Amino acid sequence: MSPLSTPRRLAVATLVLVAVVITSLLHWPLPLQLNSAEVHAHFHGSHVWCFDHIVAMLTGAEPFEHHTRRIGFPESVQLRFIAWVPALASAPLRLFLGPLGAYNFALLLSPAFSALAASVCSTAIATLSAASLRCAAMRSAACSSADR
């Protein structure tokens, strides 16, 4: 089956849809209240703030620095954002849904995008030739024995 065949596309679409449905059910009624509901989790509020702060840095409303006093005042704290892709992908939604709604939308779709990325990676690995895999294994073995 080729990576772009119709059965493959249908399987990937089903995988993404199932991920969205399961995530929505686990966070119910969040899908109906994106811009007002909060997920009951330890870090939800801080993640919403981080997404909002990244957008503020990109628009020039906040300086593009790794330290801020907006949290931990009067002390300055170092920021280490790790969710740049979801933050940037959800940034345009902030105009329509606000910071909370944009984050909640990203939260609901993140497992689906992870499933899609896993599908793409597994397809790429499955289409590698046996010779490529043998070469990679030999190179890995040679590098690990050289490190000893």
Side-chain angles (χ1 to χ4, degrees):
M1 181 178 348
S2 87
L4 299 176
S5 67
T6 302
R8 174 80 179 150
R9 287 183 192 164
L10 183 61
V12 170
T14 302
L15 176 70
V16 169
L17 180 64
V18 166
V20 169
V21 168
I22 290 173
T23 306
S24 296
L25 290 173
L26 288 173
H27 293 291
W28 195 259
L30 185 65
L32 302 176
Q33 305 165 348
L34 284 176
N35 58 354
S36 61
E38 290 192 32
V39 174
H40 298 288
H42 293 289
F43 300 109
H44 185 73
S46 64
H47 286 110
V48 172
W49 182 88
C50 289
F51 273 41
D52 190 46
H53 192 75
I54 288 171
V55 171
M57 288 190 309
L58 293 174
T59 59
E62 289 288 331
F64 202 89
E65 296 177 353
H66 294 290
H67 288 84
T68 185
R69 289 190 176 182
R70 285 185 65 193
I71 52 175
F73 186 82
E75 300 295 322
S76 176
V77 296
Q78 186 175 9
L79 301 173
R80 294 184 183 173
F81 298 125
I82 59 171
W84 282 92
V85 172
L88 295 176
S90 66
L93 296 173
R94 186 175 176 264
L95 297 171
F96 307 105
L97 300 173
L100 180 63
Y103 175 80
N104 285 338
F105 191 78
L107 176 80
L108 290 174
L109 291 185
S110 287
F113 283 124
S114 294
L116 182 61
S119 174
V120 169
C121 289
S122 66
T123 301
I125 290 170
T127 58
L128 288 175
S129 69
S132 300
L133 294 173
R134 283 193 300 273
C135 259
M138 288 173 29
R139 185 170 192 285
S140 176
C143 290
S144 64
S145 66
D147 289 341
R148 291 182 191 164

